[in-house]
Amino acid sequence: MIGYGFMGAAHSQGWRVAPRFFDLPAQPSMSVVVGRNSGAVTAAAAKWGWEEAATDWREVIARDDIDIVDIVTPGDTHAEIAIAALEAGKHVLCEKPLANSVAEAEAMTDAAARAAERGVRAMVGFTYRRVPAATLARDLVAAGRVGEIRQVRASYRQDWLSDAEGPLTWRLQKERAGSGALGDIGAHAVDLSEYITGLRLQSVSGILDTIVTERPLLAEGIGLSGTASAERGAVTVDDVAIFSGRYGSANGAYAPLGTFEATRFATGRKNALRIEVSGSLGAVAFYLERMNELDFFDATLPPTEQGFRKILVTEPDHPYVGAWWPAGHMLGYEHGFSHQVVDFVTAIAEQTQPHPSFADGLHVQRVLDAVERSSATGSSWVPIQS
């Protein structure tokens, strides 16, 4: 695993726990975690269960005993590491968004396609697909339970930047993060809406805004931790993204509209990802802050019996749930990362393409780019390259 911050902890939990609850077709070994700071990465290795620590990712991917490279670094390093790892014959799991630009994502996707011809697999980590309730929503839509899809509403709202004196971290620098709320959390809303509906966005129209344009620098350098200094630096990414999208139609059906919001300034909202899909026969609504529940509306019932009902997604027959606890015992945020490991390792063992693929990640990158161009030019609708 290359990187050891917030996502490093989450991915480590996934690698460590998945083999102990699921019967995997191959057993992953947590060989080495890589970071630039020798002391910090050594501490991370000991804390999270990695066998060793290293500071040079190039040396690690050249090793014969490494089969999988898991990339959890900031977005500006994804392309270089992923392409090098794929060319070295390593299977690659890369955190979202896939890259910081469409050009980088295209290069990564091309490298993944070449690698696939040699049996080397690549997957992007849109982990919320693997929350059991979100997977169940996809299953219900695919089974026709909501009928023809007519409208989609998606929002991802957080408030961790609402303090204007919060420090300038790498997530607020375009050269490091690629974009702000749009790519950091808006990418999740885009991917999950497409995963649940089975439809892809064809065009978008939106606007981006930066609410706080300057923040204190960290005395110890720009990073994830440290003491804020008196010196200030420019915020070069968006704080809020609001956009509309038109999905493609399926089998000549109506091409539905979707509305999207991504913000890290929604005071009081901590991790409020919501997806609601309305159709001719019903609707589903998923809310991450109630991640063990799915709201389902059956419009085929008599009007006297209609109403959203809560499905508690904890039964053994629900997606992924059977490997965990007795019915009614809740799962948490970290379980999606174990499910990610299950699906990735299974695909590698079965020599199939895991999803979401780098091509899927490229599509999301093109959506993000189209939103940015719409905002920058004031264009009403920007088509998304297929």
Side-chain angles (χ1 to χ4, degrees), residues 68-124:
I68 294 173
V69 173
D70 185 0
I71 303 170
V72 295
T73 54
D76 62 321
T77 62
H78 286 186
E80 181 182 13
I81 297 172
I83 293 170
L86 290 166
E87 290 177 346
K90 314 302 182 186
H91 307 289
V92 173
L93 171 61
C94 183
E95 253 303 320
K96 66 81 219 163
L98 186 61
N100 275 8
S101 68
V102 169
E104 289 177 344
E106 288 174 339
M108 295 169 72
T109 302
D110 289 343
R114 293 191 301 270
E117 296 175 356
R118 298 179 279 115
V120 177
R121 308 301 172 187
M123 188 174 85
V124 60

Side-chain angles (χ1 to χ4, degrees), residues 31 46 61 65 79 85 222 308 337 371:
S31 298
I61 67 171
D65 64 329
I222 307 244
F308 273 98
F337 295 93
V371 173

Side-chain angles (χ1 to χ4, degrees), residues 235-273:
V235 174
T236 52
V237 298
D238 58 282
D239 287 328
V240 59
I242 298 174
F243 58 101
S244 300
R246 173 78 74 178
Y247 294 88
S249 63
N251 302 320
Y254 171 70
L257 287 170
T259 56
F260 296 84
E261 177 188 3
T263 177
R264 300 182 293 201
F265 274 77
T267 307
R269 300 298 182 185
K270 302 305 176 184
N271 206 29
L273 171 61

Side-chain angles (χ1 to χ4, degrees), residues 269-346:
R269 300 298 182 185
K270 302 305 176 184
N271 206 29
L273 171 61
R274 294 177 183 264
I275 307 286
E276 183 169 333
V277 179
S278 302
S280 58
L281 300 179
V284 291
F286 169 73
Y287 183 31
L288 184 61
E289 290 188 347
R290 299 201 319 264
M291 64 186 304
N292 290 277
E293 302 173 9
L294 181 68
D295 291 333
F296 176 62
F297 182 89
D298 186 349
T300 68
L301 293 173
T304 55
E305 299 175 20
Q306 289 179 5
F308 273 98
R309 63 182 176 88
K310 180 180 71 176
I311 302 173
L312 189 62
V313 189
T314 64
E315 293 294 325
D317 290 337
H318 283 138
Y320 302 104
V321 177
W324 295 103
W325 316 115
H329 292 69
M330 308 300 186
L331 300 188
Y333 171 78
E334 73 279 7
H335 289 82
F337 295 93
S338 292
H339 303 157
Q340 178 172 260
V341 167
V342 171
D343 290 345
F344 190 44
V345 170
T346 299

Side-chain angles (χ1 to χ4, degrees), residues 161 163-168 172 212 214-217 232-233 235 265:
L161 285 178
D163 179 2
E165 293 305 304
L168 185 72
L172 300 174
V212 175
E214 288 187 344
R215 289 182 177 270
L217 298 180
R232 304 180 75 85
V235 174
F265 274 77

